[in-house]
Amino acid sequence: MGKMAAAMGSVAALATEPGEDAFRKLFRFYRQSRPGTPDLGGVVDFSAAPAARGTGPGAHKVIVSQLSMSSVSDHNAHRAGLQPVSKWRAYGLEGYPGFIFIPNPFLPGYQWHWVKQCLKLYSQKPNVCNLDKHMTKEETRDLWEQSKEFLRYKEVNKQRPRSLLEKLRWVTLGYHYNWDSKKYSADHYTPFPSDLAFLSEQIAAACGFQGFRAEAGILNYYRLDSTLGIHVDRSELDHSKPLLSFSFGQSAIFLLGGLKRDEAPTAMFMHSGDIMVMSGSSRLLNHAVPKVLPSPEGKSLPCCLETPLPAVLPRDSVVEPCSVEDWKNGKVESLEQRPGSLQSLKDTIWPLTENICQHPERKLDP
């Protein structure tokens, strides 16, 4: 307990030291932190019991958020691979209006559908990815099929170069985001995946946003040494609509700060299946991911991904069966720990994250 208190004291003192802004200091602290040490004692863990949620100042900010249980039927929740909303837990943070954190609400095994979609389907054309800048559409037509044989061999060396899937960093869906102009373009649109749109609709409705239509998405594919720099999302003008962020794969540390970088951020864990919903003023807060965390020693997968997708699915489910071959390749590609590999499938995520929003056309390039 003494070491933990000392670590918390050093984090608090670090944020107030002169020099760099408070956010940058804590970003560097957590980037260099070591799992299993007091370094992470101040990180809020929403999936833990209240008594074990953390000892830092952020733990005292945690409040319970109310969900609209009648807005999503148990049947529609099951269709998307979700537990009934009555079984979900949802939290907010004092001082962060519009921020909702939902610890893994997925049914056992159903995360695998979304992992598979992010790796196998959403990466396909006509969606846009980072590889398009240096390769033709023909060369990036089916990254999964092109990468399967490579993924059978765990070690990356001169004899086994990285597959295209291992080089994947981001994919955009729907209204495609222009990374140079930081805007969406009205004349660059491809159909948004119907299953992901349905999932997003259920999450948004449960959080009080009826009639939400997912129209744009950014998928981020993270490696164990990846970070997400400090930034604010300013590409949509209508902040009354929520931004949904799904995470799959390895856990990560997420920092949520204030409107200015001199405000010390709150650190929290993001685990596989966790969902963040941000609306209103929380859409304009600085945020970042300083560290992706390795799985505990002796485990190659987060516990929630050890269970395969059920063989029998609801007749009208948007979730599709996952073949044995896809199951094995998905485990190798996205979740096994080996140097230089993707560690997860998102906004983002993190590990893998998906950021979904509505009406980006409110700030579209003509």
Side-chain angles (χ1 to χ4, degrees):
M1 185 67 180
K3 290 183 179 180
M4 188 73 73
M8 291 306 94
S10 66
V11 171
L14 181 65
T16 58
E17 286 180 359
E20 287 182 311
D21 59 75
F23 202 125
R24 174 60 62 183
K25 291 172 187 173
L26 291 182
F27 182 95
R28 284 195 295 105
F29 174 83
Y30 285 113
R31 179 74 185 94
Q32 299 166 5
S33 62
R34 296 162 297 165
T37 71
D39 290 351
L40 304 186
V43 182
V44 177
D45 192 346
F46 289 102
S47 65
R53 194 161 285 152
T55 57
H60 303 295
K61 299 179 183 178
V62 177
I63 56 177
V64 175
S65 293
Q66 299 300 317
L67 296 173
S68 178
M69 298 185 186
S70 61
S71 298
V72 179
S73 68
D74 290 356
H75 178 70
N76 278 344
H78 195 181
R79 288 180 62 198
L82 298 164
Q83 301 179 59
V85 179
S86 60
K87 295 186 177 181
W88 299 7
R89 293 170 295 149
Y91 303 99
L93 291 169
E94 290 182 358
Y96 296 87
F99 173 77
I100 302 174
F101 194 106
I102 304 173
N104 182 17
F106 291 92
L107 290 163
Y110 278 80
Q111 283 189 48
W112 266 110
H113 168 80
W114 304 107
V115 171
K116 181 193 70 174
Q117 296 296 84
C118 291
L119 286 174
K120 185 177 181 179
L121 183 65
Y122 302 156
S123 61
Q124 291 187 20
K125 297 305 172 201
N127 298 328
V128 180
C129 71
N130 61 289
L131 300 177
D132 296 333
K133 290 187 176 182
H134 310 289
M135 303 177 70
T136 66
K137 289 184 177 180
E138 286 299 321
E139 291 175 317
T140 60
R141 180 161 299 279
D142 195 331
L143 302 182
W144 177 267
E145 287 299 322
Q146 292 191 59
S147 302
K148 282 196 306 185
E149 290 303 317
F150 287 89
L151 299 178
R152 296 182 190 279
Y153 303 96
K154 296 184 179 181
E155 297 301 326
V156 177
N157 51 46
K158 293 181 180 179
Q159 285 70 44
R160 206 291 261 173
R162 288 180 184 171
S163 66
L164 292 179
L165 207 55
E166 290 171 299
K167 297 178 181 179
L168 192 62
R169 294 295 174 265
W170 55 261
V171 169
T172 56
L173 310 172
Y175 285 102
H176 295 286
Y177 186 72
N178 186 309
W179 297 92
D180 295 323
S181 67
K182 308 298 183 185
K183 295 180 180 180
Y184 297 90
S185 177
D187 59 2
H188 196 185
Y189 174 83
T190 55
F192 194 90
S194 59
D195 57 348
L196 186 55
F198 184 80
L199 171 67
S200 302
E201 180 185 351
Q202 309 316 307
I203 299 296
C207 293
F209 298 97
Q210 299 289 341
F212 177 85
R213 288 191 303 116
E215 295 177 316
I218 301 175
L219 280 62
N220 291 319
Y221 300 75
Y222 293 83
R223 298 168 56 168
L224 193 57
D225 59 355
S226 295
T227 63
L228 179 68
I230 306 168
H231 69 286
V232 176
D233 297 318
R234 303 183 186 276
S235 298
E236 301 87 34
L237 293 178
D238 186 1
H239 297 141
S240 65
K241 300 296 190 297
L243 174 75
L244 311 182
S245 181
F246 302 84
S247 293
F248 300 105
Q250 305 297 102
S251 297
I253 298 174
F254 179 72
L255 299 180
L256 183 62
L259 296 174
K260 298 180 180 180
R261 291 192 183 186
D262 57 5
E263 299 178 50
T266 297
M268 61 197 80
F269 288 113
M270 293 187 62
H271 301 302
S272 189
D274 288 349
I275 300 170
M276 291 194 304
V277 180
M278 302 173 76
S279 65
S281 59
S282 70
R283 292 283 301 271
L284 296 174
L285 300 179
N286 284 281
H287 55 279
V289 177
K291 193 173 187 68
V292 176
L293 302 170
S295 292
E297 187 174 352
K299 291 188 175 182
S300 61
L301 293 171
C303 293
C304 59
L305 287 171
E306 292 284 1
T307 305
L309 188 66
V312 179
L313 303 172
R315 181 175 300 177
D316 56 352
S317 175
V318 301
V319 175
E320 299 175 348
C322 183
S323 69
V324 174
E325 181 183 26
D326 286 349
W327 164 259
K328 290 180 179 179
N329 285 334
K331 289 173 71 174
V332 170
E333 161 54 22
S334 61
L335 299 160
E336 285 197 357
Q337 295 185 55
R338 61 186 194 276
S341 72
L342 286 168
Q343 297 301 309
S344 63
L345 300 176
K346 166 230 112 327
D347 173 83
T348 85
I349 133 234
W350 305 202
L352 175 123
T353 56
E354 301 172 294
N355 291 328
I356 313 300
C357 64
Q358 177 179 356
H359 295 318
E361 68 271 19
R362 295 178 184 272
K363 192 178 179 181
L364 291 174
D365 285 340

